[in-house]
Structure formats: C-alpha cells, structure tokens
C-alpha cells in the first residue's frame, strides 16, 4: 500500500509538471499542428501532429518534420496535461522510421477501446506514398499498440473517423481529393470500396477532411487552397458519404501567411469549438505550427458563422493563475504592442509593451473564486519607471489596483494590495497612467 501511494503521488506530480496553462496557442512549450480533438468521459483529448525542427540526417530541411505524436487532455479548455508520446515512427512495424512524416492523426472510441489513426510512408518494399495505420489502447492516453500492417485500400493522408448514430463507422482521407469508406466493426478494415466525395471545389489543393454531425446534418470541413494559402471551408449533406453541397468559408486564410491550416470541431458543455493551427511560435517558418481554438456558432438555417481567430481563445482563467495579458481580447489602437520575451527561445512566450499614456489591453473571462483576492502580483520591468492601473469591466470600469513599477533593468514581481476585492467572472483591463515604457509578462491575483 505504501508503494502504491508513492507511485500515485509520483504520477500526480508528473502530470502537474506537465500541466500547461495556455490561451492561444493552447500548447506553448512545443510545436503542435493538425488538431484532432475528442470528448471522452467528459474530458477533452487533443491529438495533434508534432512539428520539430529538421536537423542533418533527421528530416528534410525547410519542410515539415514529424517523428511522433503526443496526446493532451483538459477538463476546462484552459489547463492542458501532456501525457507524452503515444506513437513514434520507429515503433510502428510497417512505417519508414526515417521518413519524419507522421502527419495529421485522429482518434475515436468504440466499445471501450481507443483507435488512433495516423498516416505515414511505408518501409521500402511496401506501398508507395502514404498509408494509414491504427494503434489501439484501453485508455484515451494509451499505451497505444500499433497494428502490424496499415489499413488495406487506403492510400493518402489526414485520416478522420466518425461513428454514425446507427453504429456504422466511416473513415475519410485526402489524396488530391477527399475520399471516404465504411469501416468494419473492428475499426481496422474497410467495409466498402473507397468513394471520391462530391460537392467540393474542383480547383486547388483540398486535404484534412473532418466530418461532424449536428441535428441530422453532416458537415464536412476541410482546408482548401483557393488562392495561395489554405483557408477552412465546409460542405453539408444528409448522408455521411454525401453527395455534399459546398456551404462556405469556415475560416479565412491566416493573416500571418501561414500556408497550412487543419481543423476539428467538437461540442463541449453545450458550446461548439473550432480547433485549428497557426504559426504563432514560429512566424518566420510556418512548418513549425501551434494549435489554437475559438468558439464556433451556427445560424438558424444550420449554416456556420465564419470563425474569426483570436489570441484570447477559449476557456476561463482562474485569477490565481499567471494571466498572460498578451493573449488579449482587445487593446487600444496605439501605445501597446506584443513581442516575444526572448526571440532566441520563443517558447518563453510573449510580453505586453505599454509605451503611451492611457494605452490599455483587455483580457476576458477571469474567474475570482469564493476566497476573494487581496493582492495583485505583476511581473514587469521598466527602464523609466511607470504606473499601471488594473480595472475590472462590468457596466463601468472599476479600478481595483494601482501598481507602481520601479525603474530598473531586470524583470521583477511587484506585489500590491487591491483597492477593492473582485468576485465572480470579470474582464480585466490593464492601463498605463502617465508616461514611461512598461513591459509586462503576467499578472496574478491572490
């Protein structure tokens, strides 16, 4: 029993160490892309692909380089636990262990088993191009055991799997166009011949199919290069294999110029969400990407409102956490900007720079618990010294703290008693008072 308790305590400490608190991008300590997101047992599981920088002899320079997959989980869309590597290219019996091309995956549950689908090139002598393999586990975070062979009859990338209301499984993939087929109940073999899905634009690259159903309508979402970079589009049908009818743009091309995008759509606690990726953590090289999420809404006729990307993203931030105000909801037109803390190590995140009187930034959905905060801590520095006003936004702006940032050349945490004690859900506004340049990493209430 003593050993069991020690093991349990160790596991809790490991999971806590791997707990990531983030807005957009959701995961900020590694590159992630192509998010497949699922809800299993009231928990959210994120199965992304894993970009890494190519090095001599390991991947192709200037191109996508991916050797394994992680899985992340969350109960609140804010705190994400990294469960580590679940499938690696050198542990898949049929895959080329030197390809570094483990692209967009997916995962689904059936009868208590979890089936993880992934594309990879086969070893020499196997099928040319990409095949799709399956790894099976008893839990959504593994351990996953790869099957000895890929699924016969599929040659392509970006697998997506859905189980319809009648229990029939379907698998979709991309190979120049979008394809689909029925799956046998074992989830490892095709139960029908592949069919080319109809109802999509004829011109431009289409990939990354992701199907979901709502109120009897089947929505096929996919990235499409209509011009130079991918945007997210969708089509609708009354049948899982179509024919589909083009319905519009789900998300415009990235403002940053990131060439790819890739999506999944889930409903969680009566709200729909779009998960996608951008190049936030590597703006100079868009083959190292980062997963994002924003809320998604439907019109009365069932069509989807276009999703506008945000930095704030989704989820509620506890007031006692480090609130990264650089992931803002809104800001003044001038006098405030966001830059990397360390351009040589972008995983350190961003900072907010205030350099004009009355410049401000707003961060929405901060939850103050029953034990009301008495202090605010601000990690900041200022070569000139300056003062920050911290306010809550209800019907009117209410100042809850005035924090003097001392003149200096190093980051330091300044702690200040609050003027008033907020409770419940609040939007937070940080504003400069007077002149002086102030840089802020985070704020926290306790």
């Amino acid at each position: 029993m003593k050993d069991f308790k020690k093991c349990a305590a160790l596991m809790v400490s490991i999971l806590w160490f791997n707990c990531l608190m983030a807005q957009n991008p959701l995961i900020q300590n590694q590159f992630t892309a192509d998010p497949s997101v699922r809800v299993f047992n009231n928990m959210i599981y994120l199965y992304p692909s894993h970009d890494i920088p190519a090095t001599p002899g390991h991947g192709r320079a200037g191109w996508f380089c991916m050797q394994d997959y992680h899985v992340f989980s969350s109960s609140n869309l804010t705190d994400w636990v990294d469960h580590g590597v679940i499938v690696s290219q050198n542990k898949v019996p049929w895959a080329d262990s030197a390809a570094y091309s483990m692209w967009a995956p997916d995962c689904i549950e059936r009868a208590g088993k979890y089936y993880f689908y992934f594309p990879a090139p086969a070893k020499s002598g196997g099928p040319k191009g990409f095949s799709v393999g399956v790894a099976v586990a008893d839990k959504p975070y593994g351990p996953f055991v790869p099957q000895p062979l890929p699924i016969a009859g599929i040659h392509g990338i970006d697998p997506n799997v859905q189980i319809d209301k009648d229990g029939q499984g379907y698998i979709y993939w991309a190979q120049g166009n979008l394809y689909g087929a029925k799956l046998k109940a074992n989830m490892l073999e095709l139960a029908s011949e592949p069919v080319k899905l109809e109802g999509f634009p004829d011109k431009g690259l289409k990939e990354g199919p992701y199907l979901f159903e709502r109120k009897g309508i089947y929505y096929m979402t996919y990235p499409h290069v209509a011009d130079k970079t991918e945007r997210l589009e969708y089509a609708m049908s009354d049948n899982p294999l179509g024919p589909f009818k083009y319905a519009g743009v789900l998300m415009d091309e990235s403002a940053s110029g990131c060439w790819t995008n890739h999506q999944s759509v889930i409903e969680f606690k009566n709200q729909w969400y779009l998960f996608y990726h951008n190049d936030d953590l590597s703006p100079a090289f868009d083959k190292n990407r980062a997963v994002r999420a924003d809320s998604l809404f439907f019109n009365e006729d069932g069509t989807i409102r276009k999703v506008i990307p945000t930095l704030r993203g989704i989820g509620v931030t506890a007031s006692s956490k480090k609130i990264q105000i650089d992931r803002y909801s809104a800001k003044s037109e001038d006098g405030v900007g966001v830059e990397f803390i360390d351009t040589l190590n972008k995983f350190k995140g961003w900072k907010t720079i205030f350099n004009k009187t009355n410049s401000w930034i707003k961060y929405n959905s901060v939850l103050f618990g029953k034990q009301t905060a008495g202090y605010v801590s601000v990690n900041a520095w200022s070569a000139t010294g300056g003062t920050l006003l911290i306010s809550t936004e209800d019907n009117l702006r209410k100042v809850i703290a005035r924090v003097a940032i001392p003149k200096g050349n190093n980051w330091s945490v300044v702690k200040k008693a609050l003027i008033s004690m907020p409770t419940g859900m609040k939007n937070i506004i940080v504003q400069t008072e007077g002149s002086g340049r102030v840089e802020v990493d985070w704020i926290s209430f306790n």
Side-chain angles (χ1 to χ4, degrees), residues 101-410:
S101 297
M102 304 199 83
W103 291 4
D106 195 9
C107 189
I108 203 162
E109 182 270 339
R110 182 164 199 152
K113 295 285 186 180
Y114 296 86
Y115 298 86
F116 180 77
Y117 299 81
F118 58 94
K123 291 178 179 177
S124 177
K128 293 183 178 180
F130 278 82
S131 296
V132 170
V134 190
V136 185
D138 293 324
K139 298 183 183 299
Y141 47 82
F144 283 90
V145 178
Q147 297 298 293
L149 295 172
I151 301 176
I154 297 181
H155 303 286
I157 60 172
D158 303 346
N160 165 239
V161 178
Q162 298 292 343
I163 299 175
D164 203 9
K165 298 184 292 293
D166 62 2
Q168 177 61 60
Y170 294 86
I171 186 167
Y172 306 91
W173 66 94
Q175 187 185 6
N177 291 290
L178 305 183
Y179 292 85
K182 292 182 178 181
L183 279 171
K184 291 184 179 180
N186 65 12
M187 305 301 285
L188 304 175
E189 301 172 89
L190 297 187
S192 69
E193 290 296 317
V195 296
K196 177 186 173 184
L197 303 180
E198 302 294 341
F200 307 99
D202 294 326
K203 296 181 180 180
L205 174 67
K206 298 176 292 293
E207 56 180 356
Y210 186 92
L211 184 99
F212 70 95
E213 182 270 338
R214 175 183 178 269
K215 295 184 177 181
I217 298 174
Y218 297 90
Y219 296 80
M220 178 58 77
T221 64
Y222 58 95
H224 174 220
V225 182
D227 186 13
K228 294 180 180 179
T229 60
E230 288 186 338
R231 68 186 188 189
L232 300 181
E233 300 177 353
Y234 74 104
M236 302 163 67
S237 178
D238 60 1
N239 187 289
L241 291 175
F244 291 88
K245 183 178 180 181
Y246 177 81
V249 176
L250 184 58
M251 176 177 281
D252 287 327
E253 294 88 343
S254 168
S256 70
C258 184
W259 185 77
T260 65
N261 204 346
H262 190 106
Q263 77 300 330
S264 59
V265 178
I266 64 163
E267 183 182 22
F268 183 66
K269 296 183 178 179
N270 300 314
Q271 175 61 54
W272 288 86
Y273 298 99
L274 173 70
F275 289 76
Y276 60 103
H277 70 231
N278 204 345
D279 56 2
D280 299 84
L281 292 167
S282 179
F285 182 61
D286 64 0
K287 309 302 184 292
N288 289 160
R289 297 154 296 177
V291 166
R292 289 176 160 214
D294 277 294
S295 298
L296 180 146
F297 300 93
F298 295 86
N299 298 309
E300 290 186 6
D301 63 358
T303 56
I304 304 174
R305 300 180 197 172
K306 186 184 293 185
V307 178
I308 307 301
T310 73
L311 292 176
R312 176 60 185 88
I314 57 178
V316 172
T317 302
S319 61
S320 59
K321 304 291 187 182
K322 292 179 179 179
I323 302 168
Q324 309 288 343
I325 60 172
D326 48 76
R327 308 294 88 191
Y328 59 85
S329 304
K331 66 180 184 67
S332 54
E333 291 186 4
D334 57 1
V336 61
V338 172
E339 295 180 3
F340 284 107
I341 292 174
D342 184 348
T343 56
L344 298 180
N345 183 4
K346 296 181 175 63
F347 290 138
K348 288 185 177 180
W350 298 266
K351 59 186 177 183
T352 303
I353 301 172
F354 300 91
N355 55 27
K356 187 175 181 180
T357 302
N358 295 325
S359 57
W360 58 269
I361 203 162
K362 181 168 76 167
Y363 185 99
N364 286 353
S365 302
V366 175
L367 181 61
F368 291 84
K370 293 180 181 179
Q371 292 183 342
T372 55
Y375 295 87
V376 62
S377 297
V378 181
N379 189 29
W381 81 278
S382 174
T384 60
T387 301
L388 298 176
L389 297 180
I390 300 176
S391 308
T392 56
E393 182 188 53
D394 296 311
N395 295 328
L396 296 173
R397 211 182 271 193
K398 182 178 181 181
V399 176
I400 60 172
R402 177 176 277 103
V403 183
I405 308 301
K407 181 179 179 180
N409 295 314
N410 298 301

Side-chain angles (χ1 to χ4, degrees), residues 67-78:
Q67 67 180 1
D68 57 33
Y69 299 100
H70 286 233
V71 60
F72 304 84
S73 67
S74 176
S75 62
N76 58 10
L77 296 165
T78 300

